[in-house]
Amino acid sequence: MKQILKYIYEHLKENISLKQISDIAGYSEFHFSRMFKKSTGSTLQAYIIKRRLIKSSEDIVNGKRIIDVALEYGWESHSGFTKSFKKEFGFSPSLLKALIIEIDGLGGNSMGHVFFRIC
């Protein structure tokens, strides 16, 4: 399963399908889905979306524009990305960007690790 998770992480910006991943793992889609959910606690698609949102939040923290990040990770619109982001984290990507700008303006790294810095 570690190899599959690594593959997903390395291909987050690409379209990843259940068939593609189950073929790589060497299992039927049905069997792989059950194994994946048992191992990770979520469906493949939910896992991929969560990983994309985490990586996109890192990119936003590092200064990328929200719309660029949204498109890069497969969302078709700013609003769709914002809705997914807010559902996952409880706040909008615009708020994340504003907080990072504020933190950096107050002295940068002294408190940056406390607020939304994702490792």
Side-chain angles (χ1 to χ4, degrees):
M1 189 61 66
K2 286 182 183 179
Q3 291 176 351
I4 294 298
L5 297 178
K6 182 179 177 188
Y7 178 87
I8 291 168
Y9 182 79
E10 291 172 350
H11 295 87
L12 284 175
K13 295 178 183 179
E14 301 169 19
N15 187 19
I16 303 171
S17 70
L18 174 59
K19 176 160 180 33
Q20 177 186 8
I21 298 295
S22 61
D23 286 348
I24 291 169
Y27 295 102
S28 70
E29 292 176 41
F30 176 76
H31 186 67
F32 179 78
S33 292
R34 289 174 42 130
M35 286 179 27
F36 191 86
K37 182 150 186 165
K38 186 176 182 180
S39 177
T40 64
S42 66
T43 65
L44 176 66
Q45 200 58 34
Y47 180 85
I48 292 169
I49 289 169
K50 185 171 187 160
R51 291 292 139 215
R52 285 178 176 159
L53 288 168
I54 290 169
K55 280 298 288 173
S56 65
S57 67
E58 290 174 6
D59 288 352
I60 292 167
V61 165
N62 289 323
K64 283 192 175 179
R65 292 178 348 142
I66 294 168
I67 187 64
D68 294 339
V69 171
L71 296 174
E72 191 173 342
Y73 286 96
W75 275 268
E76 294 182 10
S77 68
H78 184 281
S79 62
F81 174 71
T82 297
K83 184 177 179 181
S84 296
F85 193 97
K86 199 170 191 176
K87 182 179 177 184
E88 183 64 36
F89 299 119
F91 54 90
S92 70
S94 299
L95 179 58
L96 173 63
K97 187 122 181 132
L99 287 171
I100 295 305
I101 290 169
E102 186 68 25
I103 290 167
D104 289 345
L106 292 174
N109 295 332
S110 63
M111 290 294 289
H113 67 283
V114 175
F115 300 100
F116 307 107
R117 296 289 182 178
I118 300 170
C119 300

